[in-house]
Amino acid sequence: MNYLKHDRSSKSVLDYIIAIIFIFAALFPIYWILTLSLKNQIDSFVYPPTWIFKPIADNYIKLFVDESFVKYLINSLVVSIISVGIGLVLGAPAAYALSRLKIKGIEWLLFIILCIRMIPPMSLAVPFFTIFAKYRMIDTYLGLIIVYLTFTLPLIIWILKAFFDEVPQALEECAVLEGCSTFQVFRKISLPLISEATVAAAILSWIFSWNEFLFAMILTRESAKTAPVMITSFMKFEDLEWGLIAAASMIIAFPVVIFGIFVRRYLVSGLTSGALKE
Amino acid sequence: MNRKHLFLMLIPTIIAFFVVFFIPIGYLFNYSFLNYELTDPLGIKFIGLKNYFRIFSDKEFWNSLRITIIFLIVGIGIQVPIALLLGEILSGPLKRLQFLRSLFLPPMVVPPVVAGVMFRIMYHPTIGIINYFLSFLGISHPWLANNKTALFSVIMVDVWQYVPFLLILFLAGFSSIPEEVYESAMIDGANRWQTFIKISLPLIKGSLLLGLLFRVIDILKVFPTIHIMTAGGPGRATETVNYYTYRMAFSYTNIGYASALGVALVIITILLSLIMLRFFRQARVNQ
């Protein structure tokens, strides 16, 4: 095991120190806001800050009882889940077709889908706003769900296409010989084979929809407002409502962090999907 | 495979892309040639390239472009070296401690709104935790309220969120390098720095350029953190092109001019992406 002595593999104290410093930097802000959400009004404004305190759930209770936070959480859930659902229903067959069709235009179509990933949402938000104003779709679930397809659909297509490319063709040809139609091959053979990737793609695009802020802020008012947009309404009272803001932040971030760790392997392929192909 | 059936599977998606992408982009271009203010619906009329000419003489636009370029250079200049350093450590000396990689992950999935809120609280000038830590060094500073430090403070939130993304990307690059390469470098007597510069860095060039490409694209889109932490202020110190477009459309309700800015944003994004992709292809050819 000579190579263990190699510079690159041999551990030094400095390596540990650097890793610990950056892990602290990554996690401390989350820890700090978590403690703020569990402090009472007085404790959260003590200076110097208190490190030891009696945790209370008051902020969380107040959020759910007084602030109709639940309504906005439900809006977020409905919009994000439905847009992912539609993204899957449209995207999975499309990804399959893009993987199997061997014709010239396909490369272009894939390139356009990649471009949609690159276009700044602001450039779409301006026309969406006027179009939705005209057709009375501002502040509706439907409007937001449609808009969210701009990122859920390309994401799902690129991830699933990469996985469909890996499915052995011989298997599908057997199924065809047994009398399966193209739809049946897709539904009964190929899609089940990549079910894990499908779940990952769904979770990833759900994270994007759940975290989305710009479209939700511009295209909703009250009845379809999502939880991230709701947080900004606390900001006016910044100096008074730290605990509430912190609690709301924790509730919004919690499921994303859990799911994020769950799909860690797919996170980067999700964020960069498509770019490597030419 | 039945070709006709495959086409049928594709058509709903193509229709969806028309609705969610081609139609709005078409409207954007159309609006950019109009005098179109939300407050004056009767005054909508075609004015040709006037909105585009206005961009060139608009000092606020050039300021926002300057802010965007600083954001790109400083942000990427800080996060890439940190991610490379951590990648080298986690793929080398601390390779066996796989769980460490997960500890870096949360910032990357925290909703950007939440990140903005968290840091706005922590940056609080008098009772924020950041100034508390810095008080031991004798520093106390209104980070977000000072126009010399506001942009840097916002950039640091971007660094906090995206070092993990770059780290995971680079780790994928590092893990594809065979161990024998390092063994032969060791036999040749290369030290750690030489190994990193001469071996690791060239071999992860692909991951590096991909990371740069996506950081450029994503920084051009940054919105929630700026909106929540500074709203483009103080003055115009944190107003990127993206944020300026927002303000023009939704504060000044000048849809025509905002659309021209939106087109400019698309062009800037495409230009920078093409430059990055060219480097990317060259790197692949050279490998």
Side-chain angles (χ1 to χ4, degrees):
Chain A
M1 295 306 267
N2 200 15
Y3 73 87
L4 280 179
K5 287 198 202 104
H6 181 259
D7 274 324
R8 195 168 172 274
S9 307
S10 61
K11 299 175 185 64
S12 75
V13 182
L14 191 63
D15 291 317
Y16 281 107
I17 293 175
I18 292 172
I20 288 167
I21 286 174
F22 281 104
I23 288 171
F24 176 81
L27 298 182
F28 179 79
I30 298 170
Y31 162 79
W32 186 244
I33 301 305
L34 177 68
T35 63
L36 274 184
S37 76
L38 298 169
K39 283 177 178 174
N40 63 34
Q41 192 95 288
I42 298 154
D43 277 342
S44 60
F45 287 99
V46 177
Y47 193 85
T50 46
W51 297 93
I52 295 156
F53 62 96
K54 200 166 146 258
I56 50 158
D58 292 20
N59 291 314
Y60 291 90
I61 293 164
K62 185 163 181 237
L63 206 54
F64 282 99
V65 176
D66 299 351
E67 302 284 347
S68 57
F69 188 58
V70 181
K71 179 187 152 191
Y72 305 108
L73 276 179
I74 290 172
N75 285 350
S76 278
L77 265 181
V78 170
V79 170
S80 57
I81 289 175
I82 295 180
S83 76
V84 171
I86 297 176
L88 277 178
V89 170
L90 297 178
Y96 184 70
L98 285 167
S99 168
R100 293 294 178 268
L101 272 172
K102 300 281 182 261
I103 52 169
K104 261 187 186 159
I106 292 300
E107 292 298 314
W108 274 101
L109 203 52
L110 282 166
F111 179 70
I112 288 170
I113 299 171
L114 186 61
C115 287
I116 299 176
R117 159 73 172 82
M118 294 182 182
I119 296 294
M122 191 65 74
S123 300
L124 295 174
V126 177
F128 269 130
F129 177 77
T130 56
I131 296 169
F132 280 13
K134 194 169 156 193
Y135 295 101
R136 299 183 182 281
M137 279 166 70
I138 301 268
D139 206 18
T140 60
Y141 283 171
L142 180 67
L144 218 46
I145 289 164
I146 290 175
V147 174
Y148 281 10
L149 286 177
T150 55
F151 49 89
T152 56
L153 202 47
L155 188 69
I156 286 169
I157 290 177
W158 265 110
I159 295 179
L160 295 192
K161 190 217 165 249
F163 280 91
F164 278 131
D165 285 345
E166 303 291 314
V167 172
Q169 303 264 338
L171 210 62
E172 297 184 341
E173 278 155 22
C174 283
V176 172
L177 289 178
E178 298 287 330
C180 281
S181 73
T182 306
F183 299 121
Q184 283 169 330
V185 172
F186 163 72
R187 209 159 38 86
K188 294 189 175 153
I189 313 277
S190 309
L191 194 59
L193 277 175
I194 63 156
S195 54
E196 195 198 348
T198 311
V199 172
I203 292 177
L204 266 175
S205 51
W206 177 81
I207 290 177
F208 276 85
S209 315
W210 181 260
N211 286 0
E212 207 284 327
F213 177 69
L214 176 68
F215 289 138
M217 190 185 79
I218 289 169
L219 301 174
T220 68
R221 292 290 170 268
E222 186 54 39
S223 39
K225 189 155 91 176
T226 62
V229 181
M230 200 263 176
I231 282 198
T232 57
S233 60
F234 288 130
M235 297 308 289
K236 284 176 281 205
F237 319 107
E238 183 192 14
D239 288 332
L240 302 169
E241 308 278 3
W242 275 17
L244 276 186
I245 299 172
S249 300
M250 281 301 122
I251 292 169
I252 295 173
F254 179 74
V256 197
V257 173
I258 297 300
F259 275 137
I261 290 166
F262 190 62
V263 294
R264 194 191 84 168
R265 278 195 302 137
Y266 297 92
L267 265 178
V268 164
S269 65
L271 283 162
T272 60
S273 55
L276 274 165
K277 310 276 165 52
E278 287 180 27
Chain B
M1 289 290 128
N2 187 329
R3 232 173 216 212
K4 212 160 69 185
H5 288 175
L6 288 175
F7 273 117
L8 279 177
M9 295 166 91
L10 201 51
I11 285 170
T13 290
I14 293 176
I15 295 170
F17 279 141
F18 262 94
V19 175
V20 301
F21 185 68
F22 291 103
I23 291 175
I25 283 288
Y27 270 85
L28 180 78
F29 275 91
N30 181 31
Y31 291 156
S32 72
F33 299 115
L34 301 178
N35 175 45
Y36 182 179
E37 309 224 4
L38 280 183
T39 48
D40 180 21
L42 297 174
I44 300 174
K45 63 170 194 281
F46 182 78
I47 53 165
L49 291 170
K50 246 184 179 164
N51 284 325
Y52 290 98
F53 290 138
R54 182 175 161 189
I55 291 179
F56 285 97
S57 58
D58 181 356
K59 277 189 193 133
E60 288 185 21
F61 169 76
W62 291 106
N63 174 64
S64 69
L65 189 62
R66 186 179 63 92
I67 302 284
T68 307
I69 292 168
I70 296 173
F71 202 129
L72 285 167
I73 294 172
V74 176
I76 293 173
I78 296 173
Q79 50 201 259
V80 167
I82 293 176
L84 279 175
L85 173 72
L86 289 171
E88 206 276 339
I89 290 173
L90 292 182
S91 70
L94 307 186
K95 196 177 182 176
R96 276 153 209 278
L97 303 172
Q98 287 277 338
F99 70 96
L100 287 182
R101 297 171 185 202
S102 298
L103 295 180
F104 284 101
L105 205 71
M108 141 180 201
V109 287
V110 162
V113 168
V114 171
V117 166
M118 284 166 49
F119 277 87
R120 183 164 163 182
I121 291 175
M122 293 195 303
Y123 274 129
H124 193 282
T126 51
I127 48 177
I129 189 75
I130 290 175
N131 270 345
Y132 171 72
F133 281 139
L134 291 173
S135 68
F136 299 117
L137 305 170
I139 301 170
S140 174
H141 187 79
W143 294 99
L144 295 172
N146 180 302
N147 62 11
K148 289 200 175 64
T149 54
L151 182 59
F152 176 76
S153 308
V154 174
I155 290 173
M156 287 314 286
V157 182
D158 191 76
V159 170
W160 180 75
Q161 287 220 279
Y162 283 97
V163 162
F165 163 67
L166 290 172
L167 174 63
I168 299 181
L169 190 62
F170 294 165
L171 279 171
F174 278 119
S175 71
S176 66
I177 304 172
E179 199 62 41
E180 295 85 55
V181 180
Y182 291 112
E183 284 171 34
S184 54
M186 181 204 65
I187 292 164
D188 292 341
N191 67 29
R192 189 164 166 186
W193 176 249
Q194 288 167 328
T195 314
F196 178 73
I197 294 292
K198 296 256 167 69
I199 296 172
S200 306
L201 213 50
L203 285 175
I204 66 153
K205 213 168 170 185
S207 305
L208 190 60
L209 286 166
L210 193 61
L212 286 177
L213 173 68
F214 277 95
R215 289 310 300 130
V216 168
I217 294 170
D218 287 338
I219 285 176
L220 291 172
K221 297 179 189 173
V222 171
F223 181 78
T225 36
I226 294 177
H227 186 65
I228 283 171
M229 292 171 69
T230 63
R236 297 278 144 74
T238 55
E239 190 172 85
T240 57
V241 175
N242 196 42
Y243 203 81
Y244 183 49
T245 307
Y246 164 78
R247 205 162 54 85
M248 198 43 77
F250 301 104
S251 303
Y252 296 160
T253 64
N254 190 340
I255 296 295
Y257 186 49
S259 298
L261 289 170
V263 172
L265 199 56
V266 171
I267 292 171
I268 294 169
T269 308
I270 291 173
L271 272 181
L272 287 178
S273 308
L274 286 178
I275 295 170
M276 297 296 306
L277 279 172
R278 166 150 292 190
F279 276 116
F280 193 65
R281 286 209 184 108
Q282 266 173 3
R284 290 183 115 201
V285 170
N286 291 343
Q287 253 175 26

